[in-house]
Amino acid sequence: MKRLTYLFTLLSVICLAACSLDEEPKASVTKDQIFSSEAGLKTYVYSFYEKILPSGSDLNQIEVELTDFGAINNLPDFQVKNSYSEVNSDGWTWTNLRSINYFIVNCTNPGVSESVRNNYIGIARFFRAYFYYGMVRKFGDVPWIDKPFDVDDPALYAARDSRETVMEHVYEDLQFACNNITMTTDATGSMVTKWAAYALASRVCLFEGTYRKYHNLNLSTSANTWLQRVVDMSKYLMDNSGKKLYTAAGTAKSYRALFTSDVPVTDEVLMAVCSSADLGVLHHANWKWTSPTYGNRFSFTRTFINTYLQTDGTPYTSRKDWQTEGLYNECQNRDARLAQTIRTPGYTRDGVAAAPDFLGYVRTGYQPIKLCLDGTKYDNAALNTNALPLFRYAEILLNYAEAKAELGTFTNDDWVKTVGAIRARSGITGGLTSKPTVIDTYFQKKYFPSITDPSILEIRRERAIELCLEGFRFDDIRRWKCGYLLNMSWDGMYVPKLNVPMDLDHNGTYDVLFYDSDANLAAAKAKLDWATVSKTCAPILVVGGANQLQQVKEVEAGNPAAGYYLTWDTPNDYKRVFGEKQYLYPIPSLVMVKNPNITQNKGWENSASNDGN
Amino acid sequence: MENKLSDIILSLKIGRVMKITMVFLLMGIVQVSAAPYAEEHHISVAVENGTFYDIISQIEKQSEFMFFYKSEEIDNGQRYTLNMRDKTASEVLNAITRNNHLSYRIVGKHIIITKVLSTTQENNKVISGTVQDAQGVPVAGANVTVKGTTVGTITDAEGNFDLKIPANATTLAVSYIGYLTKDMPIGKQSKFKVVLTEDLQALEEVVVVGYGTQKKVNLTGAVDQVTDKVFNNRSVSNVTQALQGTIPNLNISLDDGKPTRTASYNIRGTTSIGQGGSALVLIDGVEGDPALLNPNDIASVSVLKDAASAAIYGARGSFGVVLITTKDPQKGKVSVNYNGNVSLQKPTTVPDFVTDGLVYAEHFREAYYAWNNYASLPSKINKSQLYSDAWLNNYKQRREQGITDEVETGSDGTYTYYGNTDYYHELYKNQTFAQDHNINISGGSDKSDFYISGRYYGYDGLFRYNTDNYDMMNIRAKGSLQVTNWLRLTNNMEYSDMSYHNPINVGEGGSIWRNIADEGHPSSPIFNPDGSLTMSAAYTVGDFIYGKNGLDTHKKELKNTTGFVAKFLNNKLRINGDFTFRNFDDNSNRRRVPVPYSTKQGVTTWLSQSYNDYQKTFGNTLYTATNLYAEYEDSFAGGHHFKGMVGYNYETSKYETSTVLRNGLLLADSESLNLALGDATTTSADWQKWRIAGSFFRLNYDYKERYLLEINGRYDGSSKFPTDQQWAFFPSVSAGWRVSEEPFWKINKNIISDAKIRGSYGSLGNGNIDPYSYLELLSINTSGYVVNGAKNKYAGTPEVKPKSLTWETATTTDIGGDLGFLNGKLRLSGDYYIRKTTDMYTKGVTLPDVFGATSPKGNYADMTTRGWELSLSYSDKFNLAGKPFNYDIHATLADYKSKIDRYNNSTMSLDDYYEGMTVGEIWGYESNGLFQSEAEIQGYVNTIIPSSANKKVYPGDVKFEDLNGNGKIDYGDNTVTNPGDKKIIGNKEPRYIYSFTLNGDWNNFFVSAFFQGVGKQNWYPSAESGFWGQFNRPYNQLPNWHLNNYWTEDNTGAYLPRYSGYTALSGRELSTPQTRYLQNIAYLRLKNLQFGYTLPHKLTAKAYMQNVRIFVSGENLFCWSPLYKKTKDFDVTNTSGSDPDLTSGTSGDFYSYPVMKSMTLGVSITF
């Protein structure tokens, strides 16, 4: 029995030693650990960049649809008649807000000094403003939430707050961010600084001010209050940030350097989404902007290209033969941004002349290059190393100019500092010293027939040209209430004659041949050393029925001898709609199932589709 | 000595029907010329009023003698007083056996004591003979008795016996454990040759259960067991692969045929849609990785299927337990066994793709053009080859002109390709080679014994370049030592080392198979004229040819279990204890460097320049387990037998991993982080620890082996749960009734020999959760975003945790029966079960989106799984050419079906589980035909399923049926209540999983065939599946079976629709599940076929070999499936998704390592 006693003693000792079973993790942290040090706050705040800002791959694609100046392959359902309703709406996603609010509510540990906490809360509120700006643009009224909800919080079932309430909170967030973020210079151009907060404030206030003005929203804070906020915020930034327009690379290169430089050009760029070959963080701009299948084959329309001024500051459409100029001629003596936005004669890739690529990309002849790099080695995967700006000084100048013009306080001096300076950077020599007095009727007629103030028209022209592809256009269309622009037909370059090969950039090789029938193509080939020519020259059929998306229209109806313009997708023009209700998106139908207190935006009720009304 | 023996006696007593002589045979009697020892070794004995045991214990202490006896034959009440000095053993033994009807026999150092032969019988005849098994190997220790008497003896090491028998004796009965008892008429013969045949399904079979063993006949739970036979003579890279299909309702679903591939073990179907969970796998009672185990070491695999059998393991056993038991040492003379085999392996199927570049390119053009509404032509074949109609025309002309040059170099050096490349030929070797060498040495006495084994398995890799070598080494040393007559120590040490080189592609993420589909264009050759790679190659096999990119995994496991067995109270009480530590390293290195290629003569470009890095991952698990348990058993008058066990179990596991990635390799061959010189270093780490503790008990009661009852329970604790939920009690009960043992059972035993009804009920918590699941934690991750010049670490927002929780519970009710017919030749066993998994931890109630987080999960779902399993075996023999032909057939069949009883899906959305759903169901459209004309389309309804870029429908497109008659093809609300035109069209869960094994042996030849399969299963090829060829993406590989099998105006009855690419992308015409393309992937596979020959003992004995066996064996030789009527491009079991190691599994079914078939030649030699 002694042995037994011994064994049972052993057994009970082991038993007792093992009865507490709590285990703490070591590779994750608790809430208290994160909020107890500045390092912890910083670690949390880094998550906002990751979650809320667009990636480089998103940002280079931010404007490949819902613009008036690009012909594209695939229309979003939102634009296609009767294809969009609350059933396929999305974006009612609040995860990131919870993440921000969780930070703001918990960042109270007195072990970290108040100014440090306020700096990080400022950054969090910058991101909250950024988040709400997106929600309000999309849905209008949305619930204002400033805490992470518990499961049983009745506020989960609250109705939407008015746009006015929400935007006032957003403005408070922006003010707090401007006043409490301590960083003012960031050599990496990648962080939220005080100036990024001012820039966001300038952008948000301009949107809200002009939106209220053009949509005639009768709210207690007037459009002008918001426009004055734009002026104040922008002015403070212009006066104190030390930022300026980047001109160091000269007229021909400074503009595009902002988008193709690996390191943000921090002279002008306030904040950018950065890439790094060393860190393996790359985006797919080249792939998207050169592949025949991967991207949307965005190609600028001729109508838009026509708005680029001549070097002397006069409209291109004042040229005598502007209507029948081919690609080569129309690119001469133009605003230097044209050659930095699309492939123009003289454009090379890896030292080889690169005409617009009709075979593999472009539909209209105007192939964008603004956001992608010239090396072909970047083309076939996500390999781009260029940083893409989120906020830059030129935008602030344009915001400032527009707000002042809308307020009616725009002066010649303002013109010189803003649009004048921007045009000067791009080599324009005329009209820089005083605000315009003459209306460019082509521009007005094509784009903004109801605007009669020459300054506002020119500021809008400038905004489109300077900021194209950077993600502003659809917002601008919405706030100016000119959704009709999205229905514009997509035209392309001038084609003097069909069935004749064309050398677009005058480099000695044929680039494209537009033909109207197989027989005519065969005849054209017979006249050429086709085996050689075909290596660079794409034959493109431009005549046909409803399936034929690439077509031509006569410059003068009934007179083929005057030549043609390319068109893209005109058989489907009738499908494109932009009705009144489309200034706001419908709230996804499930949202209202989950919370019946949420009501649908006007016009979208009862699963109504985008029928054009 | 007694205690050693009692190990065996224990198992005898459990049944109490075993013959005493089995004791002896298990001892493995050693025949040494021992007479001298018995004569020379003198002993002294002094006892006063002592028992028989006191005397033999004195003898054992002074000598090397070991005693064998049957305890119930010893009269423990008898007292002796002896005082003998310096006597031989015989003298002492004479003294104690003289007056108590015992006799003794000295065999070497073994002393066998048996009840003395009846003195009333006259022993007037002497007979002799030998006992052998079917292979002619002598059977030592076989029991030879005269039927109906106690006259008997056992055979010696050579299988010989001699025996005096009464004159009136008529029948001789020869028995040996594991063999059928043989009755021989005595007649006038005096020389006997007895051949014993193995009893494969013996009633006496002992089955391993939790913390012990149980005689199969007394089992009340649902337990199945296979022996090492399922592993013998098979060339498989790991145990999991060999176990597949062998046990009904042990469901092992392997994703593909990669040598490292293992799987979690599922028992009886869907477990939980919340925490999930698979079977607990224990190797010799502790956790381990079966994939790292030497298959040759395995003695048996036992599967505890119902809650009652698994309850002893508590919360970890909620979905069954698999117990793998390794072989014990064979006592007796040292035996050395070598098993070796070499095998040739190749994929069961290699896809039959079009390799004619022109045919490929024409179809590429058509597929691209057709999708784009015949309005747009491609300019590239995906990324790696330029396309133009001019090029295609040139290609045609060259073909007509007979130009076979595959590359044309332009004046500027640019290459134009006109290839005809068979990428799969370049990818795979025609066949590869594997070898398996295993040696084990075993032996020992009753004082100590040992088993040492070593194995090397080497697989030369399937890929032609940068091949995937796989090596596994195992060492095991197992032994025991009898410390005192009541205490025995055991130790079991195991070391395994596995390494695998997995080549990877850097050109595009994903696996080689997907990359070949996307970039391996037959129209592009592999090499340029100057020997550089083409771009297509660089994305695909060119990367392998370059040979720098790979993922090397290296797993090492060291495990040691030290234990003891102590026996008390004349072996009625036994105490077992053991302690295990396991150190498991799971390390890997990955290197990615850009691949050079050339599109222009003399110009080298590098593919995937963004990858140039080395990653090292260290993973370590340190696991300890302690078990201590005591058993007591006793019998009482009137046939009552009790057994009780109580025990304690405590386990800890600590897992730690760290990963370091650094870029900027100095050389493309660099193999150390130290030569990674770049700026980007990414580190990450994880750490987890869990502990479990449990006290458990088991009570068994039986009355005359007729009524059986078992009660189990475990009080279980786990650190994975919050403090107030850590402990829970899980009881279970099972009972059995052996109807055939009833006095009223009058059915002839030759017809129904045995009948038993079983039932069990038990409820177990589900402990399969991740540690810290209930804590509000902020994970730390590395950002993919460059801020402040770095990819920073950032903290995530914690999940919202539920406020209160209970355990998920799995409650199993099981009804089973075992029937034996024809004297046990035919056995049928079956179970029906209902497993209710309740309170499953699943998604919470739907909250408004402004909540901003996933609604906290909770105990919100219930599910019922119903299933059954049947197994049938038949064994018999007949004479063929005067020699016995033994054969047996074993068949199994299993099925299960799960239904969701409760789930948070109030809208009944079809994107999620819903109440009433049968798990695995496929919702889709009915599609019976293809549109044959424009007029037919015009007269038909609109569809929301696109079959071309601008959603226009063409003749040849699939015609979906408007089931709800609403005038359009749509999915309504995509809910059960309004599914539009969708309906349930099939189920992807396997049904009627079956196997059958046929064995036969005759005259030293043996043959065995193992078939396995699934009776019913649907599969809908996924969006990117290899099934679709260019219907997926126009540049994909073109399966030969597609040619002339798609709709054209001249081929209107074709199976496939109008030739058009991109229609098998997500949400489009072909990827939308529908009846027309739903596949039947039932199959029948000849998993293993073997044929062998055992060399006659006479021959081998001369070479000092006891047994030599040679065999050929084939794995996966044939497979039949309805799918193969459509395509044989891929193995029918490869449908579960793309390579899970290199992809997220969604880059297309079939794009994974092929299932291999092999032909093996092997030999097994025992010395």
Side-chain angles (χ1 to χ4, degrees), chain B residues 157-172:
Chain B
E158 307 295 303
N160 298 317
F161 68 90
D162 43 314
L163 183 65
K164 277 183 196 166
I165 58 168
N168 59 350
T170 56
T171 312
L172 209 54

Side-chain angles (χ1 to χ4, degrees), chain B residues 855-897:
Chain B
S855 172
K857 289 181 175 179
N859 302 103
Y860 291 126
D862 300 339
M863 177 177 69
T864 306
T865 302
R866 289 183 170 82
W868 49 268
E869 60 247 357
L870 271 180
S871 72
L872 178 79
S873 58
Y874 183 78
S875 62
D876 205 351
K877 65 176 180 190
F878 57 84
N879 271 325
L880 184 68
K883 300 205 161 136
F885 184 96
N886 299 296
Y887 65 94
D888 65 83
I889 298 163
H890 182 65
T892 71
L893 179 61
D895 188 32
Y896 62 83
K897 203 169 173 177

Side-chain angles (χ1 to χ4, degrees), chain B residues 235-248:
Chain B
S235 178
V236 286
S237 56
N238 68 52
V239 169
T240 307
Q241 297 180 2
L243 267 181
Q244 194 181 25
T246 56
I247 298 171

Side-chain angles (χ1 to χ4, degrees), chain A residues 328-436:
Chain A
Y328 184 86
N329 288 333
E330 67 177 317
C331 291
Q332 309 305 316
N333 293 319
R334 299 290 289 274
D335 180 335
R337 281 172 293 186
L338 183 60
Q340 295 173 73
T341 304
I342 60 166
R343 291 188 182 192
T344 52
Y347 175 72
T348 60
R349 307 194 78 204
D350 302 329
V352 179
D357 177 14
F358 272 96
L359 191 61
Y361 187 87
V362 78
R363 305 296 195 184
T364 61
Y366 307 108
Q367 179 166 357
I369 57 167
K370 178 168 166 175
L371 303 178
C372 57
L373 299 172
D374 296 336
T376 53
K377 67 176 181 179
Y378 300 106
D379 286 358
N380 279 326
L383 296 170
N384 278 71
T385 53
N386 45 327
L388 297 169
L390 277 171
F391 299 101
R392 61 188 181 97
Y393 190 66
E395 181 209 343
I396 308 303
L397 297 181
L398 290 165
N399 293 348
Y400 175 81
E402 186 177 337
K404 287 206 86 172
E406 294 287 358
L407 283 167
T409 58
F410 194 58
T411 64
N412 283 336
D413 183 44
D414 290 332
W415 174 264
V416 173
K417 277 197 298 192
T418 59
V419 181
I422 291 169
R423 286 188 180 173
R425 187 245 298 267
S426 296
I428 291 172
T429 52
L432 302 179
T433 52
S434 60
K435 61 179 187 180

Side-chain angles (χ1 to χ4, degrees), chain B residues 858-1030:
Chain B
N859 302 103
Y860 291 126
D862 300 339
M863 177 177 69
T864 306
T865 302
R866 289 183 170 82
W868 49 268
E869 60 247 357
L870 271 180
S871 72
L872 178 79
S873 58
Y874 183 78
S875 62
D876 205 351
K877 65 176 180 190
F878 57 84
N879 271 325
L880 184 68
K883 300 205 161 136
F885 184 96
N886 299 296
Y887 65 94
D888 65 83
I889 298 163
H890 182 65
T892 71
L893 179 61
D895 188 32
Y896 62 83
K897 203 169 173 177
S898 303
K899 247 192 156 67
I900 307 292
D901 302 326
R902 179 166 69 103
Y903 191 76
N904 273 332
N905 178 2
S906 54
T907 58
M908 300 293 265
S909 158
L910 291 177
D911 292 333
D912 205 344
Y913 296 104
Y914 61 87
E915 226 164 275
M917 176 188 191
T918 303
V919 173
E921 66 192 22
I922 303 172
W923 283 77
Y925 297 88
E926 190 165 318
S927 56
N928 300 323
L930 305 174
F931 285 113
Q932 296 297 348
S933 68
E934 190 61 43
E936 192 183 353
I937 297 166
Q938 292 310 322
Y940 202 64
V941 298
N942 285 327
T943 177
I944 57 159
I945 304 164
S947 54
S948 70
N950 70 1
K951 301 183 182 173
K952 185 173 154 55
V953 178
Y954 293 87
D957 287 352
V958 175
K959 181 178 179 183
F960 296 98
E961 302 297 321
D962 182 17
L963 296 185
N964 66 358
N966 69 343
K968 63 178 178 184
I969 306 300
D970 65 350
Y971 50 79
D973 299 336
N974 198 36
T975 61
V976 180
T977 39
N978 180 12
D981 299 309
K982 288 213 262 187
K983 63 170 190 175
I984 296 169
I985 58 169
N987 194 299
K988 59 190 173 203
E989 287 287 312
R991 305 287 308 275
Y992 314 114
I993 305 151
Y994 62 88
S995 77
F996 49 97
T997 313
L998 311 169
N999 291 304
D1001 68 75
W1002 176 79
N1003 194 21
N1004 289 351
F1005 289 96
F1006 67 93
V1007 61
S1008 140
F1010 170 40
F1011 293 86
Q1012 166 260 328
V1014 166
K1016 183 181 171 197
Q1017 188 174 12
N1018 292 126
W1019 168 64
Y1020 197 81
S1022 72
E1024 302 281 357
S1025 176
F1027 183 87
W1028 298 121
Q1030 296 183 329

